[in-house]
Amino acid sequence: MKKLTQKMEFKPFCVLVAIILICGVISGGDFFKITIVEGHFYGRLIDILRNGSRYAILAAGMTMALGTGGTDISVGSVMAIAGAIACSIVDGRILGGLNGNVFVAVLIALLAGALCGAWNGFMIAKLKVQPMVATMILLTAGRGIAQLIADGKIVTITSEAYYNISGGYILGLPVPMFIAVGVVILFLLLTRSTAFGIQVEAIGVNPGSSRLAGIKVERNLWIIYILCGITAALAGLIESAGIKGADCNNCGLMIEMDGILAVAIGGTSLAGGRFSIISSVIGALIVQTISTTIYAFGVAPELTRVAKAVIVIVVCLIQSQAFLTQVKKIRIGKAGKKEAPAV
Amino acid sequence: MKKRLLAFTLIAAMGSALLTGCYAGYPAQTTGTAPAAEAAKPANDKLVVGFAQIGQESGWRDGETNDIQWYAAQHTDTIDLVFADAQQKQENQIKAIRNYIEMGVDVIAFPPVVETGWEAVLTECKEAGIPVILVDRGVDESCADLYDTQISSDFIWEGQQAADIVGDLLGGSGKVVELEGTVGASAANERKEGFDGELAEKYPDIEIIASQTGDFTRALGKEVMESFLKSYDDIDAVFAHNDDMALGAIEAIKEAGKKPGEDIKIVGCDGVKGAFEAMVAGEMNGTVECNPCLAEQIFDTAAKLKAGETVDKWIVSNDGVFTQEDAAAELPNRTY
């Protein structure tokens, strides 16, 4: 039992369950209602799974970048690029020879994501530019690139096959969830069954001594940022599929903040070192649950951001060890005072 | 050493690619203004209009640019257009306007990229005696007597028209949800004001059961609609403050196993091409146009101002209202 509570994943998981339970109670059970519509499950929890998947996928990549003490703030723009490429190909606007082949479009979009990641990796690993600054280049330029690809328009497509990336169902559950689970399993295998995970943590703690210890710091950074690019591209594909179009101006706008937030809520230190992908995925689900909750309870539009902020603050406080010890101290202090006169 | 050389060439290549990327729009701007500027001087009998466009920000904005350039190209014998692209920056717009003053154009027209900070340059226009037309956006109150007229849509009217479409579709009673635009945006505030006011006045039996912001985007329009559908099973119609949110809502409604356009009526604003395609497919019921094709009104007004006539302080642009019946006929004309 002690072991379980000390796991990194324990606290965020409790928070997630608590938020969902509180929502369920306030809504009088409405929040949990799952029905079957046209052969698939339908309900708010399913929405959280589907819409939270793209955060989960992003957070999985982001966790490793943050684990090395770096960060990748270009993910939103990379999402836009991937969406623009895939939709343009499916629409036949570019590479018409492919006849809008969805599979090839997805592959090329993922490759583009990897390329963006490689550019970040090159800046960070080779040129030793600070990760925040290095990825800021793509954050600003990436959206412009996406605009160029999509010709400054929202490319609308009608392909049902492409739509299924976001709106499809397997065994009655949304496809993005399976993509997210796949990504997480792959990343867990990579970080927990090989030395890669420990190397990442080592780089996060001290890159210099890691290098002296024989860890290929540069190579690992390349791999991490390329993976980040690919996960961002995947998230971009899901988002663009969901709306049947590439909205370059808005796709993934400010999502890097949600991604970092998910990782932080999960408990991974932004300073690098110990990380847990599962925690981040739970963090991602918390982020999504918060917005789903806000819509579910009909918070006034002017207050949605404030409401979100308040919940995030509460979640962060629960996560903060310093805060909890302070609370404990105050409680002990109070107890101590009561006992004092008696002595 | 070899590796370093390789790295260096790579940086050089990518750097130059970046630079050319950044400046891709720039030559177009200078070539656009320079020849026109030379041409503008001798031909005094022509109407010379300086237009300082914001830049490329959306399909709507591109539609406006295309319309103005197309219209000017059709009337080269009477109109000289001096066009500048400000690349979303106020200082570039101000620079372009100062340039027009120096050139001595007849009329200056521009969509102010932001509301504030125009006092100085508009005063310069006034001192130079050049009339100013604000296009599709306004400036802040303090500049009210520094420009001559504003040509833009009436968002309140758009909201009212949408309410009328919804009222007709529902036969005067039912439950409506509203997808609002970005909080604080004038298009969102005024469309809401018009829609809510008209419904309350003309169709008292139609109730707005929920309203939430979808930030004018498809993705959020869809997400908010998903939530509405779970909170209420008896939604009769959706009013979205722009067509993109309406298109997102369509996907959410389909997922809930209902038929968009039939089980739940959908009305949007803007009149983008995608909305017309959805109407032709029977998945959307109506849209109130927010017309970017303002060229004719701009140049007509400019001609009047040049001739010294007075014009209204606010000229409402010619916006249309479209429903499924006329969607198919109108679709080929959609440029944005």
Side-chain angles (χ1 to χ4, degrees):
Chain A
M1 190 62 203
K2 183 105 196 225
K3 248 189 176 169
L4 187 71
T5 54
Q6 272 179 351
K7 281 222 168 207
M8 210 172 155
E9 291 84 5
F10 181 73
K11 256 196 217 165
F13 184 72
C14 289
V15 170
L16 176 64
V17 172
I19 294 181
I20 294 180
L21 278 181
I22 292 171
C23 293
V25 171
I26 297 178
S27 66
D30 223 32
F31 205 81
F32 298 133
K33 205 170 82 187
I34 292 180
T35 51
I36 294 184
V37 174
E38 291 181 347
H40 60 77
F41 292 107
Y42 175 82
R44 286 198 198 279
L45 293 179
I46 303 296
D47 280 358
I48 293 176
L49 282 180
R50 184 180 40 231
N51 295 331
S53 304
R54 58 172 197 268
Y55 290 127
I57 293 169
L58 273 183
M62 188 76 89
T63 308
M64 288 199 283
L66 290 167
T68 63
T71 184
D72 184 352
I73 57 172
S74 69
V75 285
S77 300
V78 175
M79 281 175 71
I81 293 177
I85 289 179
C87 287
S88 299
I89 293 176
V90 172
D91 188 47
R93 283 188 55 254
I94 57 173
L95 302 177
L98 295 172
N99 285 327
N101 187 318
V102 171
F103 181 73
V104 180
V106 167
L107 221 58
I108 293 178
L110 290 180
L111 261 177
L115 199 70
C116 292
W119 163 252
N120 285 336
F122 169 74
M123 298 282 289
I124 294 161
K126 272 273 179 231
L127 305 183
K128 309 276 182 278
V129 179
Q130 287 182 46
M132 173 91 73
V133 179
T135 52
M136 199 182 285
I137 296 173
L138 260 185
L139 168 75
T140 45
R143 223 161 266 287
I145 295 170
Q147 294 274 20
L148 282 178
I149 295 166
D151 205 14
K153 296 190 181 93
I154 298 182
V155 182
T156 304
I157 51 164
T158 47
S159 161
E160 280 302 318
Y162 188 70
Y163 177 68
N164 278 337
I165 297 174
S166 165
Y169 292 89
I170 299 174
L171 302 171
L173 290 166
V175 170
M177 192 194 94
F178 291 95
I179 300 177
V181 169
V183 168
V184 170
I185 290 176
L186 270 179
F187 279 22
L188 280 180
L189 284 178
L190 180 68
T191 55
R192 293 292 174 246
S193 305
T194 69
F196 188 71
I198 296 187
Q199 292 187 359
V200 169
E201 290 186 359
I203 296 170
V205 174
N206 191 333
S209 47
S210 306
R211 187 173 294 115
L212 291 177
I215 295 175
K216 288 181 176 148
V217 176
E218 269 187 26
R219 190 200 63 182
N220 286 349
L221 285 177
W222 276 92
I223 294 175
I224 286 167
Y225 284 98
I226 290 175
L227 286 177
C228 250
I230 296 175
T231 52
L234 258 179
L237 289 175
I238 293 175
E239 174 137 353
S240 66
I243 57 170
K244 288 193 182 171
D247 184 352
C248 301
N249 273 324
N250 299 306
C251 176
L253 193 65
M254 299 297 281
I255 207 167
E256 58 278 354
M257 293 300 149
D258 285 326
I260 294 173
L261 179 67
V263 178
I265 289 179
T268 297
S269 161
L270 302 193
R274 204 161 81 107
F275 69 91
S276 157
I277 290 174
I278 298 276
S279 290
S280 302
V281 170
I282 297 171
L285 290 177
I286 293 177
V287 170
Q288 180 59 46
T289 309
I290 292 173
S291 39
T292 305
T293 310
I294 285 168
Y295 296 141
F297 292 133
V299 176
E302 304 80 28
L303 296 176
T304 48
R305 277 163 210 257
V306 181
K308 219 173 171 176
V310 169
I311 303 175
V312 168
I313 290 170
V314 172
V315 171
C316 290
L317 283 181
I318 295 172
Q319 285 279 52
S320 151
Q321 202 52 51
F323 176 76
L324 291 183
T325 28
Q326 197 66 37
V327 171
K328 247 182 218 162
K329 260 190 203 162
I330 294 170
R331 268 157 118 199
I332 293 168
K334 269 185 187 164
K337 264 179 202 164
K338 270 180 204 161
E339 282 163 21
V343 175
Chain B
M1 192 60 214
K2 231 181 182 179
K3 258 189 177 170
R4 214 177 257 178
L5 199 72
L6 181 75
F8 189 75
T9 34
L10 257 176
I11 314 167
M14 292 194 114
S16 59
L18 254 179
L19 279 179
T20 45
C22 290
Y23 284 98
Y26 202 66
Q29 180 193 340
T30 39
T31 48
T33 39
E38 280 154 26
K41 275 169 197 165
N44 276 334
D45 51 329
K46 280 196 203 176
L47 172 66
V48 187
V49 177
F51 192 89
Q53 180 59 287
I54 291 178
Q56 291 184 317
E57 58 175 11
S58 60
W60 192 92
R61 185 76 46 209
D62 289 346
E64 183 181 75
T65 303
N66 292 341
D67 184 57
I68 288 166
Q69 289 179 333
W70 177 84
Y71 191 89
Q74 294 295 307
H75 299 82
T76 39
D77 47 334
T78 52
I79 295 172
D80 248 326
L81 172 69
V82 196
F83 189 87
D85 182 328
Q87 304 185 335
Q88 271 84 355
K89 289 201 180 75
Q90 185 177 26
E91 66 256 36
N92 288 348
Q93 261 189 333
I94 292 179
K95 224 181 278 171
I97 294 169
R98 293 221 164 103
N99 197 17
Y100 295 152
I101 298 175
E102 211 160 292
M103 281 165 50
V105 298
D106 295 324
V107 177
I108 292 172
F110 71 103
V113 60
V114 292
E115 283 194 346
T116 52
W118 298 104
E119 290 86 351
V121 73
L122 286 181
T123 313
E124 285 168 38
C125 292
K126 204 171 177 114
E127 280 165 3
I130 300 173
V132 173
I133 305 175
L134 301 183
V135 181
D136 78 64
R137 291 190 187 185
V139 292
D140 122 275
E141 285 289 311
S142 62
C143 297
D145 43 335
L146 293 176
Y147 65 88
D148 292 85
T149 181
Q150 176 179 345
I151 301 176
S152 62
S153 288
D154 183 348
F155 294 134
I156 295 182
W157 177 86
E158 288 175 6
Q160 289 168 341
Q161 293 305 306
D164 287 341
I165 303 179
V166 171
D168 270 356
L169 286 167
L170 300 186
S173 74
K175 287 179 175 162
V176 182
V177 292
E178 196 170 343
L179 295 170
E180 296 178 25
T182 309
V183 174
S186 62
N189 289 345
E190 290 169 18
R191 279 174 186 164
K192 185 174 174 60
E193 189 186 328
F195 183 81
D196 295 5
E198 182 87 348
L199 274 192
E201 200 177 299
K202 272 199 186 166
Y203 307 96
D205 293 334
I206 295 181
E207 187 194 352
I208 299 172
I209 49 175
S211 187
Q212 177 62 267
T213 174
D215 257 342
F216 282 134
T217 67
R218 272 196 212 185
L220 270 180
K222 183 181 176 192
E223 205 173 321
V224 172
M225 191 63 206
E226 276 174 0
S227 183
F228 282 164
L229 285 163
K230 268 142 211 149
S231 303
Y232 312 96
D233 350 314
D234 49 352
I235 300 171
D236 297 309
V238 185
F239 169 51
H241 287 186
N242 77 345
D243 285 335
D244 279 316
M245 289 192 292
L247 293 173
I250 290 175
E251 298 307 323
I253 293 170
K254 277 190 205 161
E255 243 150 61
K258 296 191 176 174
K259 276 216 172 82
E262 288 178 30
D263 299 337
I264 298 179
K265 314 284 185 203
I266 302 167
V267 177
C269 277
D270 281 356
V272 301
K273 201 170 178 184
F276 279 83
E277 283 162 352
M279 281 197 278
V280 171
E283 293 178 340
M284 200 167 150
N285 302 81
T287 183
V288 184
E289 183 182 41
C290 183
N291 196 351
C293 301
L294 304 170
E296 200 177 338
Q297 283 179 307
I298 294 172
F299 289 113
D300 284 353
T301 313
K304 278 185 197 160
L305 286 169
K306 189 191 178 186
E309 294 173 38
T310 49
V311 294
D312 291 337
K313 193 78 187 177
W314 181 22
I315 299 171
V316 178
S317 50
N318 299 321
D319 292 332
V321 179
F322 299 95
T323 52
Q324 277 183 357
E325 287 95 69
D326 31 46
E330 179 65 19
L331 181 58
N333 304 333
R334 290 286 107 180
T335 52
Y336 61 100

